[in-house]
Amino acid sequence: MRFKIEAAFYVLKHVVGAFCYRFWSKLLVSPTDKTSISLSWTKDNPMAVNLLKKLEVIERFVNLAIIAQGILSYFALVKTRLVWKIHHHSSWLRTYSSNLPSEETVQRACQANILWGASSMLLVWIKTNIS
């Protein structure tokens, strides 16, 4: 089970970017600052309320990243042929380890599909507006 958990954290960290949040607040003490801020944890203290809001935003960001990882896993299981088809046109793999694509392969295929769709829409717009 530990390997599965570590593999899930690897995907969250490197593929989805779940831990790349930068919601810094002036309320948080910087690592170079040696002074500490004493917060009295009451509902009347605005600094404590703002800090709790900041922590809630970070938690929501990570939860959305976990949902995104679930969607990538779903596409890998259900839309296998479509993912491989898109991936063959946009990128290459030296060897295939299994018939199922990884979450990273699905993510790259989705990126390529979005970029290809955006570029084709841009070309159509250019042809209609410049001609």
Side-chain angles (χ1 to χ4, degrees), residues 10-11 15 69 71-77 80 83-84 87 93 96-110:
Y10 176 83
V11 170
V15 176
Q69 181 186 9
I71 291 170
L72 290 176
S73 299
Y74 175 77
F75 284 156
L77 291 171
T80 305
V83 168
W84 283 127
H87 194 269
L93 281 177
Y96 294 94
S97 57
S98 71
N99 291 334
L100 288 176
S102 66
E103 286 98 343
E104 186 172 2
T105 304
V106 175
Q107 184 255 352
R108 288 183 182 184
C110 289

mmCIF file of all heavy atoms in Angstrom, residues 10-11 15 69 71-77 80 83-84 87 93 96-110:
data_model
loop_
_atom_site.group_PDB
_atom_site.id
_atom_site.type_symbol
_atom_site.label_atom_id
_atom_site.label_comp_id
_atom_site.label_asym_id
_atom_site.label_seq_id
_atom_site.Cartn_x
_atom_site.Cartn_y
_atom_site.Cartn_z
ATOM 1 N N TYR A 10 3.369 11.243 -5.941
ATOM 2 C CA TYR A 10 4.243 11.641 -7.047
ATOM 3 C C TYR A 10 3.422 12.286 -8.165
ATOM 4 O O TYR A 10 3.801 13.330 -8.700
ATOM 5 C CB TYR A 10 5.011 10.426 -7.585
ATOM 6 C CG TYR A 10 5.861 10.759 -8.781
ATOM 7 C CD1 TYR A 10 7.128 11.303 -8.614
ATOM 8 C CD2 TYR A 10 5.389 10.567 -10.075
ATOM 9 C CE1 TYR A 10 7.917 11.634 -9.707
ATOM 10 C CE2 TYR A 10 6.165 10.902 -11.175
ATOM 11 C CZ TYR A 10 7.424 11.427 -10.984
ATOM 12 O OH TYR A 10 8.189 11.761 -12.067
ATOM 13 N N VAL A 11 2.310 11.653 -8.513
ATOM 14 C CA VAL A 11 1.448 12.209 -9.565
ATOM 15 C C VAL A 11 0.887 13.553 -9.125
ATOM 16 O O VAL A 11 0.864 14.516 -9.896
ATOM 17 C CB VAL A 11 0.324 11.221 -9.932
ATOM 18 C CG1 VAL A 11 -0.699 11.870 -10.841
ATOM 19 C CG2 VAL A 11 0.901 9.985 -10.584
ATOM 20 N N VAL A 15 2.808 15.843 -11.729
ATOM 21 C CA VAL A 15 1.948 15.904 -12.914
ATOM 22 C C VAL A 15 0.865 16.957 -12.739
ATOM 23 O O VAL A 15 0.665 17.820 -13.589
ATOM 24 C CB VAL A 15 1.327 14.523 -13.219
ATOM 25 C CG1 VAL A 15 0.371 14.608 -14.389
ATOM 26 C CG2 VAL A 15 2.422 13.503 -13.504
ATOM 27 N N GLN A 69 -6.652 14.750 -10.450
ATOM 28 C CA GLN A 69 -5.953 13.469 -10.569
ATOM 29 C C GLN A 69 -6.957 12.333 -10.782
ATOM 30 O O GLN A 69 -6.708 11.425 -11.575
ATOM 31 C CB GLN A 69 -5.108 13.189 -9.340
ATOM 32 C CG GLN A 69 -4.352 11.885 -9.439
ATOM 33 C CD GLN A 69 -3.626 11.517 -8.165
ATOM 34 O OE1 GLN A 69 -3.813 12.147 -7.122
ATOM 35 N NE2 GLN A 69 -2.799 10.506 -8.242
ATOM 36 N N ILE A 71 -9.840 12.591 -12.293
ATOM 37 C CA ILE A 71 -10.334 12.703 -13.669
ATOM 38 C C ILE A 71 -9.300 12.132 -14.638
ATOM 39 O O ILE A 71 -9.656 11.426 -15.591
ATOM 40 C CB ILE A 71 -10.674 14.171 -13.995
ATOM 41 C CG1 ILE A 71 -11.899 14.610 -13.185
ATOM 42 C CG2 ILE A 71 -10.914 14.370 -15.479
ATOM 43 C CD1 ILE A 71 -12.184 16.085 -13.239
ATOM 44 N N LEU A 72 -8.019 12.408 -14.408
ATOM 45 C CA LEU A 72 -6.975 11.834 -15.255
ATOM 46 C C LEU A 72 -6.975 10.308 -15.181
ATOM 47 O O LEU A 72 -6.826 9.622 -16.197
ATOM 48 C CB LEU A 72 -5.604 12.382 -14.858
ATOM 49 C CG LEU A 72 -5.324 13.847 -15.167
ATOM 50 C CD1 LEU A 72 -3.967 14.259 -14.616
ATOM 51 C CD2 LEU A 72 -5.401 14.116 -16.652
ATOM 52 N N SER A 73 -7.156 9.773 -13.987
ATOM 53 C CA SER A 73 -7.208 8.316 -13.822
ATOM 54 C C SER A 73 -8.428 7.736 -14.528
ATOM 55 O O SER A 73 -8.350 6.672 -15.148
ATOM 56 C CB SER A 73 -7.248 7.948 -12.340
ATOM 57 O OG SER A 73 -6.103 8.401 -11.686
ATOM 58 N N TYR A 74 -9.546 8.422 -14.445
ATOM 59 C CA TYR A 74 -10.766 7.976 -15.116
ATOM 60 C C TYR A 74 -10.561 7.922 -16.627
ATOM 61 O O TYR A 74 -10.923 6.947 -17.276
ATOM 62 C CB TYR A 74 -11.920 8.913 -14.752
ATOM 63 C CG TYR A 74 -13.203 8.602 -15.493
ATOM 64 C CD1 TYR A 74 -13.998 7.538 -15.118
ATOM 65 C CD2 TYR A 74 -13.585 9.382 -16.581
ATOM 66 C CE1 TYR A 74 -15.169 7.257 -15.801
ATOM 67 C CE2 TYR A 74 -14.750 9.108 -17.265
ATOM 68 C CZ TYR A 74 -15.542 8.046 -16.870
ATOM 69 O OH TYR A 74 -16.683 7.757 -17.561
ATOM 70 N N PHE A 75 -9.979 8.993 -17.192
ATOM 71 C CA PHE A 75 -9.715 8.992 -18.636
ATOM 72 C C PHE A 75 -8.745 7.888 -19.029
ATOM 73 O O PHE A 75 -8.869 7.300 -20.099
ATOM 74 C CB PHE A 75 -9.180 10.345 -19.097
ATOM 75 C CG PHE A 75 -10.226 11.419 -19.196
ATOM 76 C CD1 PHE A 75 -9.868 12.750 -19.119
ATOM 77 C CD2 PHE A 75 -11.564 11.113 -19.375
ATOM 78 C CE1 PHE A 75 -10.816 13.750 -19.217
ATOM 79 C CE2 PHE A 75 -12.519 12.092 -19.476
ATOM 80 C CZ PHE A 75 -12.144 13.418 -19.400
ATOM 81 N N ALA A 76 -7.765 7.612 -18.174
ATOM 82 C CA ALA A 76 -6.808 6.544 -18.477
ATOM 83 C C ALA A 76 -7.500 5.192 -18.516
ATOM 84 O O ALA A 76 -7.146 4.332 -19.330
ATOM 85 C CB ALA A 76 -5.690 6.537 -17.437
ATOM 86 N N LEU A 77 -8.491 4.993 -17.681
ATOM 87 C CA LEU A 77 -9.192 3.708 -17.633
ATOM 88 C C LEU A 77 -10.278 3.591 -18.693
ATOM 89 O O LEU A 77 -10.467 2.529 -19.283
ATOM 90 C CB LEU A 77 -9.811 3.500 -16.249
ATOM 91 C CG LEU A 77 -8.830 3.281 -15.110
ATOM 92 C CD1 LEU A 77 -9.566 3.311 -13.779
ATOM 93 C CD2 LEU A 77 -8.086 1.979 -15.286
ATOM 94 N N THR A 80 -9.019 4.917 -23.066
ATOM 95 C CA THR A 80 -7.654 4.486 -23.358
ATOM 96 C C THR A 80 -7.295 4.671 -24.822
ATOM 97 O O THR A 80 -6.246 5.237 -25.156
ATOM 98 C CB THR A 80 -7.482 3.010 -22.952
ATOM 99 O OG1 THR A 80 -7.853 2.876 -21.583
ATOM 100 C CG2 THR A 80 -6.065 2.550 -23.141
ATOM 101 N N VAL A 83 -6.940 8.366 -25.814
ATOM 102 C CA VAL A 83 -5.724 8.964 -25.253
ATOM 103 C C VAL A 83 -4.512 8.550 -26.067
ATOM 104 O O VAL A 83 -3.671 9.375 -26.425
ATOM 105 C CB VAL A 83 -5.557 8.566 -23.768
ATOM 106 C CG1 VAL A 83 -4.179 8.935 -23.259
ATOM 107 C CG2 VAL A 83 -6.618 9.229 -22.919
ATOM 108 N N TRP A 84 -4.411 7.248 -26.391
ATOM 109 C CA TRP A 84 -3.260 6.795 -27.182
ATOM 110 C C TRP A 84 -3.275 7.411 -28.580
ATOM 111 O O TRP A 84 -2.227 7.752 -29.122
ATOM 112 C CB TRP A 84 -3.231 5.273 -27.289
ATOM 113 C CG TRP A 84 -2.752 4.584 -26.052
ATOM 114 C CD1 TRP A 84 -3.394 3.589 -25.376
ATOM 115 C CD2 TRP A 84 -1.536 4.811 -25.328
ATOM 116 N NE1 TRP A 84 -2.662 3.190 -24.290
ATOM 117 C CE2 TRP A 84 -1.512 3.931 -24.239
ATOM 118 C CE3 TRP A 84 -0.474 5.684 -25.485
ATOM 119 C CZ2 TRP A 84 -0.474 3.887 -23.327
ATOM 120 C CZ3 TRP A 84 0.571 5.650 -24.567
ATOM 121 C CH2 TRP A 84 0.562 4.759 -23.513
ATOM 122 N N HIS A 87 -2.129 10.941 -28.236
ATOM 123 C CA HIS A 87 -0.727 10.952 -27.821
ATOM 124 C C HIS A 87 0.197 10.575 -28.979
ATOM 125 O O HIS A 87 1.298 11.112 -29.099
ATOM 126 C CB HIS A 87 -0.521 10.019 -26.631
ATOM 127 C CG HIS A 87 0.793 10.233 -25.953
ATOM 128 N ND1 HIS A 87 1.917 9.535 -26.304
ATOM 129 C CD2 HIS A 87 1.161 11.091 -24.977
ATOM 130 C CE1 HIS A 87 2.925 9.936 -25.558
ATOM 131 N NE2 HIS A 87 2.495 10.876 -24.740
ATOM 132 N N LEU A 93 6.489 7.877 -27.195
ATOM 133 C CA LEU A 93 7.026 7.115 -26.082
ATOM 134 C C LEU A 93 7.976 6.074 -26.652
ATOM 135 O O LEU A 93 7.670 5.430 -27.653
ATOM 136 C CB LEU A 93 5.913 6.403 -25.306
ATOM 137 C CG LEU A 93 5.108 7.226 -24.325
ATOM 138 C CD1 LEU A 93 4.010 6.389 -23.711
ATOM 139 C CD2 LEU A 93 5.987 7.774 -23.231
ATOM 140 N N TYR A 96 6.281 1.156 -24.354
ATOM 141 C CA TYR A 96 5.022 1.199 -23.614
ATOM 142 C C TYR A 96 5.092 0.168 -22.508
ATOM 143 O O TYR A 96 5.357 -1.012 -22.761
ATOM 144 C CB TYR A 96 3.850 0.898 -24.557
ATOM 145 C CG TYR A 96 3.658 1.969 -25.603
ATOM 146 C CD1 TYR A 96 4.223 1.860 -26.862
ATOM 147 C CD2 TYR A 96 2.923 3.096 -25.303
ATOM 148 C CE1 TYR A 96 4.063 2.851 -27.810
ATOM 149 C CE2 TYR A 96 2.753 4.092 -26.242
ATOM 150 C CZ TYR A 96 3.321 3.956 -27.493
ATOM 151 O OH TYR A 96 3.164 4.950 -28.412
ATOM 152 N N SER A 97 4.865 0.601 -21.281
ATOM 153 C CA SER A 97 4.966 -0.316 -20.150
ATOM 154 C C SER A 97 3.690 -1.125 -19.956
ATOM 155 O O SER A 97 3.733 -2.198 -19.388
ATOM 156 C CB SER A 97 5.294 0.454 -18.871
ATOM 157 O OG SER A 97 4.306 1.436 -18.640
ATOM 158 N N SER A 98 2.569 -0.598 -20.419
ATOM 159 C CA SER A 98 1.312 -1.331 -20.299
ATOM 160 C C SER A 98 0.331 -0.803 -21.337
ATOM 161 O O SER A 98 0.605 0.166 -22.033
ATOM 162 C CB SER A 98 0.725 -1.183 -18.893
ATOM 163 O OG SER A 98 0.243 0.126 -18.701
ATOM 164 N N ASN A 99 -0.810 -1.464 -21.413
ATOM 165 C CA ASN A 99 -1.845 -1.005 -22.340
ATOM 166 C C ASN A 99 -2.550 0.248 -21.837
ATOM 167 O O ASN A 99 -3.122 0.999 -22.616
ATOM 168 C CB ASN A 99 -2.860 -2.110 -22.581
ATOM 169 C CG ASN A 99 -2.262 -3.248 -23.381
ATOM 170 O OD1 ASN A 99 -1.318 -3.047 -24.128
ATOM 171 N ND2 ASN A 99 -2.805 -4.438 -23.205
ATOM 172 N N LEU A 100 -2.551 0.442 -20.518
ATOM 173 C CA LEU A 100 -3.191 1.621 -19.940
ATOM 174 C C LEU A 100 -2.213 2.788 -19.910
ATOM 175 O O LEU A 100 -1.068 2.633 -19.487
ATOM 176 C CB LEU A 100 -3.657 1.334 -18.512
ATOM 177 C CG LEU A 100 -4.858 0.428 -18.350
ATOM 178 C CD1 LEU A 100 -5.124 0.177 -16.883
ATOM 179 C CD2 LEU A 100 -6.067 1.042 -19.006
ATOM 180 N N PRO A 101 -2.640 3.963 -20.327
ATOM 181 C CA PRO A 101 -1.755 5.127 -20.217
ATOM 182 C C PRO A 101 -1.664 5.603 -18.768
ATOM 183 O O PRO A 101 -2.579 5.405 -17.967
ATOM 184 C CB PRO A 101 -2.440 6.169 -21.102
ATOM 185 C CG PRO A 101 -3.858 5.779 -21.124
ATOM 186 C CD PRO A 101 -3.887 4.279 -20.992
ATOM 187 N N SER A 102 -0.560 6.217 -18.446
ATOM 188 C CA SER A 102 -0.406 6.784 -17.108
ATOM 189 C C SER A 102 -1.150 8.117 -17.029
ATOM 190 O O SER A 102 -1.599 8.657 -18.037
ATOM 191 C CB SER A 102 1.071 6.994 -16.792
ATOM 192 O OG SER A 102 1.604 7.984 -17.648
ATOM 193 N N GLU A 103 -1.233 8.644 -15.811
ATOM 194 C CA GLU A 103 -1.873 9.948 -15.646
ATOM 195 C C GLU A 103 -1.089 11.030 -16.379
ATOM 196 O O GLU A 103 -1.651 11.962 -16.933
ATOM 197 C CB GLU A 103 -1.991 10.315 -14.164
ATOM 198 C CG GLU A 103 -3.043 9.547 -13.413
ATOM 199 C CD GLU A 103 -2.450 8.374 -12.659
ATOM 200 O OE1 GLU A 103 -1.309 7.974 -12.969
ATOM 201 O OE2 GLU A 103 -3.141 7.849 -11.779
ATOM 202 N N GLU A 104 0.231 10.881 -16.411
ATOM 203 C CA GLU A 104 1.056 11.865 -17.113
ATOM 204 C C GLU A 104 0.811 11.820 -18.617
ATOM 205 O O GLU A 104 0.746 12.858 -19.281
ATOM 206 C CB GLU A 104 2.523 11.616 -16.814
ATOM 207 C CG GLU A 104 3.432 12.672 -17.369
ATOM 208 C CD GLU A 104 4.860 12.511 -16.899
ATOM 209 O OE1 GLU A 104 5.165 11.555 -16.174
ATOM 210 O OE2 GLU A 104 5.676 13.365 -17.285
ATOM 211 N N THR A 105 0.641 10.619 -19.167
ATOM 212 C CA THR A 105 0.344 10.489 -20.592
ATOM 213 C C THR A 105 -1.008 11.114 -20.912
ATOM 214 O O THR A 105 -1.161 11.806 -21.921
ATOM 215 C CB THR A 105 0.365 9.012 -21.006
ATOM 216 O OG1 THR A 105 1.625 8.447 -20.649
ATOM 217 C CG2 THR A 105 0.149 8.847 -22.489
ATOM 218 N N VAL A 106 -1.992 10.889 -20.048
ATOM 219 C CA VAL A 106 -3.320 11.486 -20.257
ATOM 220 C C VAL A 106 -3.225 13.006 -20.173
ATOM 221 O O VAL A 106 -3.812 13.721 -20.995
ATOM 222 C CB VAL A 106 -4.333 10.941 -19.222
ATOM 223 C CG1 VAL A 106 -5.660 11.647 -19.348
ATOM 224 C CG2 VAL A 106 -4.507 9.450 -19.375
ATOM 225 N N GLN A 107 -2.459 13.508 -19.220
ATOM 226 C CA GLN A 107 -2.310 14.954 -19.062
ATOM 227 C C GLN A 107 -1.666 15.563 -20.302
ATOM 228 O O GLN A 107 -2.104 16.597 -20.799
ATOM 229 C CB GLN A 107 -1.485 15.247 -17.808
ATOM 230 C CG GLN A 107 -1.335 16.707 -17.478
ATOM 231 C CD GLN A 107 0.027 17.255 -17.813
ATOM 232 O OE1 GLN A 107 0.945 16.534 -18.166
ATOM 233 N NE2 GLN A 107 0.155 18.552 -17.722
ATOM 234 N N ARG A 108 -0.632 14.917 -20.826
ATOM 235 C CA ARG A 108 0.024 15.435 -22.032
ATOM 236 C C ARG A 108 -0.900 15.364 -23.244
ATOM 237 O O ARG A 108 -0.890 16.259 -24.092
ATOM 238 C CB ARG A 108 1.309 14.662 -22.289
ATOM 239 C CG ARG A 108 2.382 14.998 -21.291
ATOM 240 C CD ARG A 108 3.656 14.275 -21.607
ATOM 241 N NE ARG A 108 4.649 14.579 -20.596
ATOM 242 C CZ ARG A 108 5.886 14.147 -20.649
ATOM 243 N NH1 ARG A 108 6.278 13.388 -21.649
ATOM 244 N NH2 ARG A 108 6.733 14.462 -19.704
ATOM 245 N N ALA A 109 -1.681 14.303 -23.342
ATOM 246 C CA ALA A 109 -2.625 14.191 -24.455
ATOM 247 C C ALA A 109 -3.695 15.283 -24.369
ATOM 248 O O ALA A 109 -4.060 15.886 -25.383
ATOM 249 C CB ALA A 109 -3.266 12.804 -24.465
ATOM 250 N N CYS A 110 -4.187 15.549 -23.165
ATOM 251 C CA CYS A 110 -5.180 16.619 -22.994
ATOM 252 C C CYS A 110 -4.576 17.971 -23.336
ATOM 253 O O CYS A 110 -5.220 18.799 -23.997
ATOM 254 C CB CYS A 110 -5.711 16.625 -21.560
ATOM 255 S SG CYS A 110 -6.768 15.251 -21.153
#
